[in-house]
Amino acid sequence: MPSFYHETNTIFGTHRNPVLQWIFTTDHKRIALLYMGVMFTLFFFAVSAALTMRAELFFPGQQFLDPHTYNQLFTFHGVTMIFLFIVPGIAAALGNFILPLMLGARELSFPRLNLLSWWLYITGVVTALSSLVSGHGFADTGWTFYAPYSIRTDAHVLSTLSAAFILGLSSILTGLNFVVTIHRLRAPGMTFFKMPLFVWGLYATAWIQVLATPVIGITLILVILERTLGVGIFDPTKGGDPLLYEHLFWIYSHPAVYLMILPGFGIISEVLPVFTRRTIFGYRSIAISSASIAGIGYLVWGHHMFTSGISDMARIIFSLLTFLVAVPTGVKIFDWVATLYKGSIILATPMLWILGSIVNFTVGGLAGLTLGALGTDIHLHDTYFVVAHFHYTILGGVVFMFIGGLHYWYPKITGKLYDEVRGRIAFGLMFVGFNLLWFPMYIAGFLGNPRRYFDYLPTFTIYHQIAGVGAVLVAFGLLTVLYNFYRGLRSGKEAGPNPWGGTTLEWHIPSPPPLENFSKIPYVDFDPYEYENGEPVVEFDEDFRRIR
Amino acid sequence: MQQEMAYDMQGNPHPVTEFKDDYSGAKLGFWVFLLTEAMMFGVLFLLFFIYFYRHTGSFVASSGDLNVWLGGTNTVILLVSTYTMGLATLMMRRGKIKASALLVGVTAVMAIVFLCIKGTEWNIDIDHGIYLGSKALGTMNKGEILFFGLYFVMTGLHGLHVIAGIALMGWVLLLIRSGRIKPEHTIVMKNVTLYWDFVHLIWIVLFPLFYMIGV
Ligand code: HEM
Ligand SMILES: [Cu+2]
């Protein structure tokens, strides 16, 4: 059967030219791959920037970067990692590919809108990167663009701001598409509580994209107008209030961290049942906790502003609410652990990444509670402790989940298998490297090493050097993953439709899937993860009628 | 096209929703989109209220400088235009295609008149030296700077929405002519009408905020 690699729907009829077939495709699977390609290229650029910073930080004092270049470098690293990579990340790449397959749908609700989102994404990428090669160089504000500095600096903030705005638009449209798809195109019989948990993660994410992104969009526009026309809304000399900027920024950006994490949580909830061969524990509580994390996530932005001069009352309330978010997150983690308990755990590569991410995320999350507590935050604010915290959650957590998901769905996407041993080695390198890289930064930060500096006091040397070694291991780990995927494509074994014994709908169609996924739409009257004696319960015949 | 069915284990048929021509999906999508618009304007309203609370005196005084009559006329124009736009969809559903197209055209003309009046107003302000970043504005007190800053940003953003609305109406006319909007197939038109309702609703809130508090 021809797969979606052989034929496609495009926006302008059919094209002979394969490049045009790709960039004008309206097939969600191809668009997903387009996202993946661009995103991971950018990811590797941003990692290179990070390694350069790490090299500079290997010894105290100035080596080969001047302070201004360092500022631009970490802004580039932060902006790329956040806005270009991890925020669109899992949803736009894996979500785009898997969501319709899991729902039993032939497409997203708005295929052309999906293509438009991708084009906007590319426009955003080009706009952001254009400032690297033109004018005064990349922005030096950090990825948060705090006013009034972002109004005053003469670096290229305008293009970065516009880029973030365009990317926001792209993200809104993806979210909208997902919301409608999930509401409308579930296969007959699939109620909300019969959806796979990855879909639940994407659903919660999509609502955050839709409701929070416009807030940052208009805020960035105001900063743009501030710089070009001098409106004065955030400029204290004109009566504006920079604190309001911080509020508006974090009203988006705090939920945005859940936007990165929730789809990742979804991946965990997919991989765990398959590699423990049992139904996930507490399906409903996981689904509902995704939704409540998304909900409570809106109310806690103030924890980024404990030292900014907001009132004591506000600080106490925000601190309290912050602890509340830990509750649904904790529920999830306990559910996962309970699933592992007495399961016959298969330590295949996707499973290793998932387990690693749970460990890292828990460490990062607990550190987050330290930061959510008022007293300790005053001490730790703007130190490397914070940097370690968010790298633990985002890199050690979300990126690990992402890579785990890529391994998990690799056979579905490519139709091939990667090399298992190489996969495990890559994981080992990354896990050890990652912890070497960031754990010392907790200590350095606790002892008072401030963040966002290109230099540090000699007493902190040892921590930075251990981190430097860890960074090299991480780099090798990533390259091994890349190489493994490449080899798999070139000479991997045929995967077949269901190499892992998965139960969700995508494992019932050929790998790689045909153009419109399902020849017949199945009727779904079963729960997503049903196993009996280690085997999936549900079976379909070739007509997609359920026979078991 | 025949309705596709999915069969359960007992062999009962269940209708499948296809992504093509999914009327309810298109409607839901548009509502979600309007929600994002509401969030965006919501932020600006929030800023307005915060600064109004801090500089009530100057806000009321500056509001008195705006021309209530021009703003009021515009409000009436928008009110009537949502009515004609709604009527256009109704006509389309009843199969009166000519009347429907005519009403869309009338709505677009009213939107253009709205913009002209808005332009005149802005011109008067600019003649008085009041525009974003102007010298005269710089010498005023902070409340006034903020008031006019918000005034230009918010009415400007609303104006952009009106322009988008006009473009959409032109598109609707084209679609009617080429027969892609028909009495049985009105989703695009329905959504444009909804959009225009939203644009008018925003103005209904903007008008009292900027023009009336100083009266
Ligand atoms: C691959 C390994 C990575 C390394 C070696 C690394 C290293 C660094 C370093 C050295 C800094 C600067 C700290 C400072 O000067 O205060 C930094 C900042 C940052 N990193 Fe990473 N990072 C990595 C991956 C990631 C990932 C995957 C993300 C998110 C998806 C990320 C997001 C950020 C952000 C948002 C900042 C803050 C930038 C700012 O303050 O404006 N990093 N990272
Ligand atoms: Cu936060």
Side-chain angles (χ1 to χ4, degrees):
Chain A
M1 186 188 283
S3 76
F4 74 97
Y5 291 104
H6 301 105
E7 49 179 3
T8 192
N9 294 324
T10 66
I11 188 164
F12 304 121
T14 48
H15 294 282
R16 284 276 177 82
N17 184 324
V19 175
L20 295 183
Q21 273 183 6
W22 275 90
I23 62 178
F24 290 133
T25 181
T26 53
D27 178 11
H28 67 96
K29 300 181 285 304
R30 284 200 177 204
I31 293 176
L33 293 181
L34 289 174
Y35 271 115
M36 254 182 240
V38 179
M39 241 169 228
F40 276 95
T41 312
L42 291 164
F43 172 76
F44 278 96
F45 275 121
V47 167
S48 315
L51 291 176
T52 318
M53 288 191 279
R54 269 279 134 237
E56 164 65 37
L57 293 169
F58 201 77
F59 296 106
Q62 178 169 348
Q63 268 59 252
F64 53 92
L65 291 176
D66 60 84
H68 183 63
T69 315
Y70 185 88
N71 286 351
Q72 291 182 323
L73 215 54
F74 81 62
T75 304
F76 169 74
H77 171 74
V79 168
T80 308
M81 283 297 192
I82 298 291
F83 290 111
L84 305 185
F85 174 65
I86 204 71
V87 166
I90 300 180
L94 277 176
N96 236 324
F97 200 103
I98 303 295
L99 176 73
L101 305 184
M102 282 188 154
L103 291 177
R106 296 204 167 93
E107 248 304 342
L108 289 173
S109 272
F110 310 114
R112 284 184 296 174
L113 194 68
N114 197 22
L115 180 64
L116 178 66
S117 305
W118 185 74
W119 275 103
L120 284 173
Y121 172 73
I122 292 299
T123 315
V125 169
V126 172
T127 317
L129 299 189
S130 67
S131 57
L132 280 177
V133 288
S134 68
H136 297 274
F138 206 78
D140 57 356
T141 55
W143 72 283
T144 51
F145 310 115
Y146 274 180
Y149 182 73
S150 56
I151 304 173
R152 303 273 156 71
T153 172
D154 51 43
H156 240 325
V157 188
L158 271 186
S159 54
T160 321
L161 287 170
S162 330
F165 177 78
I166 299 170
L167 292 164
L169 205 59
S170 155
S171 163
I172 289 176
L173 296 180
T174 306
L176 187 154
N177 216 341
F178 283 11
V179 167
V180 176
T181 306
I182 293 170
H183 274 276
R184 296 293 305 162
L185 300 184
R186 280 169 288 128
M190 186 188 275
T191 57
F192 261 71
F193 283 111
K194 288 196 165 47
M195 298 193 305
L197 287 163
F198 184 50
V199 176
W200 269 100
L202 291 173
Y203 185 62
T205 306
W207 275 112
I208 299 176
Q209 286 176 310
V210 165
L211 292 180
T213 319
V215 176
I216 193 76
I218 189 71
T219 308
L220 295 179
I221 295 231
L222 286 174
V223 178
I224 291 175
L225 290 176
E226 201 88 54
R227 278 185 73 91
T228 48
L229 299 171
V231 182
I233 291 173
F234 300 130
D235 188 345
T237 60
K238 295 181 176 157
D241 186 347
L243 255 189
L244 280 178
Y245 175 84
E246 284 193 40
H247 276 298
L248 291 176
F249 181 84
W250 286 111
I251 287 175
Y252 163 77
S253 295
H254 187 81
V257 311
Y258 299 116
L259 210 153
M260 312 165 194
I261 292 166
L262 286 172
F265 284 172
I267 294 177
I268 298 190
S269 310
E270 292 303 320
V271 173
L272 277 187
V274 174
F275 292 99
T276 51
R277 288 293 189 268
R278 60 193 301 234
T279 303
I280 193 138
F281 183 87
Y283 169 88
R284 273 182 191 241
S285 60
I286 293 184
I288 292 172
S289 67
S290 287
S292 37
I293 290 174
I296 306 172
Y298 278 100
L299 309 175
V300 304
W301 75 86
H303 62 217
H304 296 271
M305 302 171 64
F306 285 160
T307 60
S308 69
I310 57 176
S311 73
D312 282 345
M313 194 56 182
R315 297 200 298 170
I316 291 167
I317 293 172
F318 279 127
S319 179
L320 198 78
L321 287 171
T322 301
F323 279 89
L324 266 183
V325 197
V327 176
T329 317
V331 166
K332 265 191 192 329
I333 292 187
F334 285 124
D335 280 333
W336 293 328
V337 174
T339 309
L340 288 168
Y341 179 69
K342 279 190 180 167
S344 45
I345 300 173
I346 306 164
L347 284 181
T349 311
M351 187 67 169
L352 286 174
W353 284 97
I354 292 313
L355 293 177
S357 79
I358 295 179
V359 172
N360 294 337
F361 189 83
T362 308
V363 174
L366 292 176
L369 287 181
T370 328
L371 295 168
L374 270 178
T376 37
D377 182 66
I378 306 293
H379 175 75
L380 297 169
H381 187 84
D382 265 343
T383 66
Y384 261 95
F385 191 89
V386 176
V387 187
H389 153 68
F390 71 68
H391 281 88
Y392 257 87
T393 48
I394 302 184
L395 176 58
V398 183
V399 176
F400 271 51
M401 296 170 204
F402 199 171
I403 298 179
L406 286 176
H407 281 89
Y408 177 61
W409 281 299
Y410 182 88
K412 183 51 59 189
I413 296 172
T414 61
K416 300 282 183 59
L417 290 173
Y418 51 79
D419 184 72
E420 184 62 33
V421 175
R422 213 183 276 131
R424 290 184 201 180
I425 293 174
F427 169 77
L429 280 172
M430 266 293 271
F431 189 76
V432 174
F434 169 80
N435 282 289
L436 272 184
L437 168 55
W438 288 111
F439 203 83
M441 290 298 117
Y442 276 131
I443 305 171
F446 183 78
L447 296 176
N449 191 350
R451 68 188 277 209
R452 291 185 166 176
Y453 280 67
F454 85 119
D455 192 10
Y456 50 85
L457 292 176
T459 39
F460 298 119
T461 311
I462 179 70
Y463 306 109
H464 286 279
Q465 294 191 337
I466 299 175
V469 174
V472 173
L473 288 184
V474 165
F476 275 112
L478 287 172
L479 289 177
T480 315
V481 171
L482 204 65
Y483 180 68
N484 197 18
F485 282 168
Y486 170 75
R487 292 299 304 176
L489 269 184
R490 291 301 299 267
S491 52
K493 285 203 241 18
E494 290 294 322
N498 192 358
W500 314 131
T503 52
T504 40
L505 288 179
E506 79 270 27
W507 299 112
H508 293 283
I509 57 173
S511 336
L515 176 54
E516 288 196 342
N517 310 341
F518 295 88
S519 49
K520 281 261 170 51
I521 303 292
Y523 183 80
V524 180
D525 57 353
F526 44 87
D527 290 327
Y529 314 102
E530 287 186 21
Y531 284 99
E532 211 176 82
N533 305 324
E535 285 303 316
V537 170
V538 176
E539 267 178 56
F540 293 101
D541 65 10
E542 53 288 359
D543 249 2
F544 267 112
R545 291 231 195 157
R546 190 172 158 198
I547 46 181
R548 217 160 76 87
Chain B
M1 217 173 60
Q2 211 185 333
Q3 170 70 54
E4 183 182 344
M5 294 289 171
Y7 296 90
D8 58 24
M9 271 174 101
Q10 287 74 41
N12 304 314
H14 301 266
V16 172
T17 316
E18 264 288 353
F19 68 96
K20 290 170 191 138
D21 287 330
D22 176 20
Y23 187 91
S24 311
K27 211 160 78 177
L28 175 65
F30 205 78
W31 275 103
V32 176
F33 169 73
L34 286 185
L35 210 58
T36 68
E37 290 271 39
M39 290 300 290
M40 187 173 75
F41 276 104
V43 169
L44 291 172
F45 286 128
L46 194 72
L47 284 170
F48 184 94
F49 286 123
I50 292 169
Y51 287 130
F52 176 68
Y53 174 74
R54 290 191 193 162
H55 305 275
T56 312
S58 330
F59 266 48
V60 172
S62 325
S63 166
D65 291 347
L66 296 180
N67 190 325
V68 188
W69 290 105
L70 290 179
T73 316
N74 259 348
T75 309
V76 175
I77 291 177
L78 274 194
L79 269 172
V80 178
S81 76
T82 39
Y83 180 70
T84 52
M85 192 64 204
L87 218 55
T89 335
L90 205 71
M91 286 299 165
M92 178 54 77
R93 277 222 227 109
R94 296 217 182 123
K96 299 185 177 145
I97 298 177
K98 276 242 173 71
S100 175
L102 186 73
L103 282 166
V104 175
V106 170
T107 314
V109 170
M110 276 193 268
I112 292 170
V113 174
F114 175 94
L115 281 181
C116 293
I117 296 182
K118 194 77 234 157
T120 317
E121 264 190 278
W122 275 28
N123 254 330
I124 297 173
D125 296 329
I126 292 170
D127 278 346
H128 292 182
I130 297 180
Y131 51 91
L132 289 180
S134 76
K135 270 217 187 66
L137 201 57
T139 59
M140 295 183 173
N141 74 35
K142 290 180 172 171
E144 288 165 328
I145 298 179
L146 286 171
F147 178 86
F148 283 107
L150 285 166
Y151 167 74
F152 281 110
V153 170
M154 291 171 84
T155 55
L157 189 67
H158 180 265
L160 285 180
H161 278 76
V162 174
I163 294 175
I166 295 170
L168 286 173
M169 287 167 203
W171 184 52
V172 165
L173 284 178
L174 282 179
L175 290 181
I176 294 181
R177 265 218 356 219
S178 65
R180 269 178 292 170
I181 293 181
K182 312 189 267 281
E184 322 78 68
H185 198 288
T186 54
I187 182 64
V188 175
M189 197 158 169
K190 185 100 203 288
N191 280 344
V192 173
T193 310
L194 208 58
Y195 172 82
W196 196 243
D197 279 348
F198 178 81
V199 172
H200 133 263
L201 213 68
I202 293 289
W203 180 258
I204 296 288
V205 186
L206 284 180
F207 176 66
L209 283 190
F210 284 109
Y211 294 82
M212 304 281 277
I213 53 173
V215 174

